Amino acid sequence: MPEDQSTPCPVAAIILAAGKSTRMRSRLPKPLHPLCGLPMTAHVIRACQQAGVERVVVVVGHEAETVRAGLGETVAYAYQEQPRGTGDAVKAAQPLLNDWPGAILVLAGDVPLLPADTLRHLLQHHRQTRADVTLLTAFLEDPTGYGRIVRDPQTGQVVRIVEERDASAQERAIREWNPSIYVFRAGALWSALAEVRPLNAQGEYYLTDTVSVLVRRGATVEAVPATDARDVLGVNNRVELAQAAALLRQRLLNVLMLSGVTVVDPATTYVDVDVMVGQDTVIEPHTFLLRGTRIGEDCVIGPFTRIEGSTIGNGVRVLASQVVDSVIADGARVGPYAHLRPGTHLEQEVKIGNFVEVKNAHMGARAQASHLSYIGDAEVGMKTNIGAGTITCNYDGFRKFRTRIGSNAFIGSHTTLIAPVVVGDGAVVAAGTTIAEDVPEDALAIARTAMTIKEGGAIRYRARRAPQSETV
């Protein structure tokens, strides 16, 4: 009997992710192939959780431990020992859900574009109709490769699902296809699976055969067409992976643009899930905003910029640069061709110019390193200027050390700071100086060898070096 509808029906999900997926031609298991910042099957897990599914079981098989490590421990796992079909894969999850009191959603782990709203609608229809099983279906002009939904020509009711390799020519002409997304009453699922036999071209236990079993019993079988067939398309190879990524990126960019972000060229802009961008920020072409990135308002990002896992304040400009796991405060300027490595923290109005690399360093407000410098494992005070060609020597081959530079200091061009070393507030370091000792506040540090000039030395040098044939 259908479950009691007087109270909300608890829903569990079984996600099938046990196949070898030879068509991906990859050592990486298909469920873990990245798509806009998440493994492919993680998108399916998120959709289930956002739709209100209370428990998710992922069925794994090939490279089971790798898949489990990649998807994390927010879900439960069942193991399919042998690849004997989708019905057998679902049965592998039965010990974990045998006493589940409500509905069980069954779906594949390779439908990363599936929206949570589509699952909510499917579950709502299942509850309202008190069905034993409710199918999500879709229509395509050419559904080659997918199972077909066979309906009674008189009543329009679903009679069975036929896999393409087992279908007749007439059945292959059907445009309504099966995305392999179902909601079962738990008891109906387990009892129907017990009757499924591998009587097909593959010799496998098909989950689709449970529909025929339930129809023969006179059970209630419902079908809900998807609003957009693209939402339920599966990913079986890298061509389809790229197509799915393009569709998902467009959705993400549409959300940003409708929220007040200017995306100059969506075709060359790449944004991961969960990226946040503030109002009136402009994203220039050929920009990558990768997972974990937060960008404030009134910024200009790009072109040719890659930002990952970083937090950026308001009014920031990042031009043709890479920023990873860093924090940039309001009004800062970065680039072109700068590289901010993990642990970088730029305070308000800091300027990082062309060909400057910063790593695990903190720069105070309005400090600047305008060109051709390396600042690693360092503290730089506010309003301090770092001259061109300056480097912090932070590694002695065994350990890392920090350089500390105070506020309002001036570090001349081509300075070498050998850590650990401290340069005090207001100190000036002359160009070309190597600093191996602490410099007090307001001191002037100069460490150069005396310059020697030899009159006519250049003529004698060229005479020694030039080949005889070129000597006049």
Side-chain angles (χ1 to χ4, degrees):
M1 295 293 291
E3 61 268 4
D4 182 8
Q5 300 296 307
S6 60
T7 58
C9 170
V11 181
I14 299 173
I15 299 175
L16 307 183
K20 290 185 177 180
S21 183
T22 55
R23 284 177 285 180
M24 291 297 286
R25 296 187 179 276
S26 175
R27 289 184 292 273
L28 181 69
K30 183 170 77 167
L32 301 185
H33 273 263
L35 192 74
C36 294
L38 284 177
M40 185 191 310
T41 299
H43 287 279
V44 183
I45 293 171
R46 279 165 59 105
C48 290
Q49 292 170 339
Q50 291 170 359
V53 172
E54 296 181 24
R55 190 176 190 200
V56 177
V57 177
V58 178
V59 180
V60 294
H62 177 66
E63 296 281 355
E65 291 306 314
T66 301
V67 173
R68 181 168 183 161
L71 296 180
E73 298 301 322
T74 64
V75 298
Y77 292 90
Y79 182 69
Q80 184 185 21
E81 294 185 4
Q82 298 294 330
R84 299 187 299 178
T86 52
D88 182 70
V90 172
K91 207 165 186 179
Q94 186 171 356
L96 298 177
L97 295 171
N98 202 35
D99 297 324
W100 188 257
I104 297 179
L105 172 67
V106 181
L107 66 169
D110 62 0
V111 284
L113 300 179
L114 181 64
D117 285 344
T118 297
L119 290 180
R120 290 190 194 100
H121 178 63
L122 178 69
L123 292 168
Q124 182 181 25
H125 185 92
H126 179 76
R127 294 184 183 109
Q128 289 176 344
T129 59
R130 303 192 176 196
D132 290 280
V133 60
T134 304
L135 320 176
L136 188 66
T137 72
F139 289 85
L140 283 176
E141 288 298 327
D142 180 13
T144 299
Y146 292 99
R148 307 302 201 275
I149 303 296
V150 181
R151 293 179 179 266
D152 186 305
Q154 303 299 322
T155 65
Q157 294 296 306
V158 174
V159 175
R160 66 192 181 101
I161 302 170
V162 59
E163 298 295 339
E164 184 172 73
R165 61 176 57 91
D166 301 308
S168 65
Q170 183 179 4
E171 290 167 337
R172 290 180 183 177
I174 297 172
R175 292 176 50 245
E176 188 177 16
W177 57 280
N178 174 39
S180 299
I181 300 171
Y182 321 80
V183 186
F184 289 89
R185 183 173 57 82
L189 171 61
W190 305 131
S191 64
L193 270 178
E195 295 187 28
V196 170
R197 298 291 180 266
L199 306 176
N200 50 67
Q202 294 291 101
E204 294 182 344
Y205 293 87
Y206 288 167
L207 177 63
T208 51
D209 288 348
T210 59
V211 174
S212 301
V213 170
L214 293 172
V215 168
R216 287 198 303 269
R217 292 180 184 174
T220 304
V221 178
E222 289 287 320
V224 177
T227 304
D228 188 338
R230 294 175 299 180
D231 291 345
V232 292
L233 290 175
V235 173
N236 296 297
N237 55 51
R238 299 195 197 222
V239 173
E240 294 172 350
L241 179 68
Q243 292 168 344
L247 287 169
L248 183 53
R249 280 197 304 270
Q250 187 60 61
R251 289 182 187 175
L252 297 169
L253 289 170
N254 288 346
V255 170
L256 289 181
M257 289 186 284
L258 292 173
S259 71
V261 176
T262 295
V263 179
V264 175
D265 184 13
T268 61
T269 302
Y270 300 82
V271 177
D272 279 352
V273 296
D274 299 332
V275 167
M276 298 176 64
V277 182
Q279 190 175 27
D280 292 321
T281 284
V282 177
I283 304 174
E284 299 279 4
H286 302 285
T287 291
F288 294 74
L289 303 180
L290 306 183
R291 193 153 189 241
T293 294
R294 304 287 183 268
I295 297 174
E297 299 179 350
D298 298 303
C299 298
V300 178
I301 307 297
F304 299 101
T305 293
R306 182 181 184 274
I307 301 176
E308 178 180 358
S310 298
T311 299
I312 295 175
N314 300 322
V316 172
R317 174 68 192 259
V318 182
L319 169 62
S321 297
Q322 174 160 287
V323 180
V324 181
D325 295 335
S326 297
V327 176
I328 304 176
D330 296 352
R333 297 290 182 268
V334 176
Y337 314 119
H339 186 186
L340 305 188
R341 293 168 57 191
T344 294
H345 190 150
L346 308 183
E347 296 289 358
Q348 292 86 353
E349 300 183 40
V350 166
K351 180 183 178 184
I352 299 295
N354 50 289
F355 303 105
V356 174
E357 181 178 356
V358 185
K359 187 270 296 184
N360 192 28
H362 184 280
M363 296 191 67
R366 299 177 66 185
Q368 58 182 323
S370 295
H371 28 244
L372 302 163
S373 297
Y374 171 68
I375 303 167
D377 296 290
E379 304 284 339
V380 179
M382 61 186 299
K383 298 183 181 180
T384 284
N385 182 82
I386 306 293
T390 294
I391 64 169
T392 58
C393 301
N394 55 330
Y395 183 53
D396 67 356
F398 300 95
R399 292 177 295 170
K400 295 288 183 71
F401 298 94
R402 292 191 76 78
T403 296
R404 291 178 169 80
I405 303 172
S407 299
N408 298 293
F410 181 89
I411 309 299
S413 298
H414 210 316
T415 293
T416 301
L417 298 140
I418 302 175
V421 70
V422 177
V423 177
D425 293 345
V428 173
V429 176
T433 293
T434 296
I435 298 295
E437 300 177 9
D438 291 352
V439 179
E441 294 183 8
D442 297 315
L444 171 62
I446 306 174
R448 302 172 181 156
T449 58
M451 184 169 65
T452 301
I453 297 176
K454 296 182 179 181
E455 295 290 345
I459 296 173
R460 293 190 294 274
Y461 172 79
R462 285 193 292 270
R464 289 196 308 271
R465 300 291 296 176
Q468 289 297 318
S469 59
E470 297 180 9
T471 304
V472 178

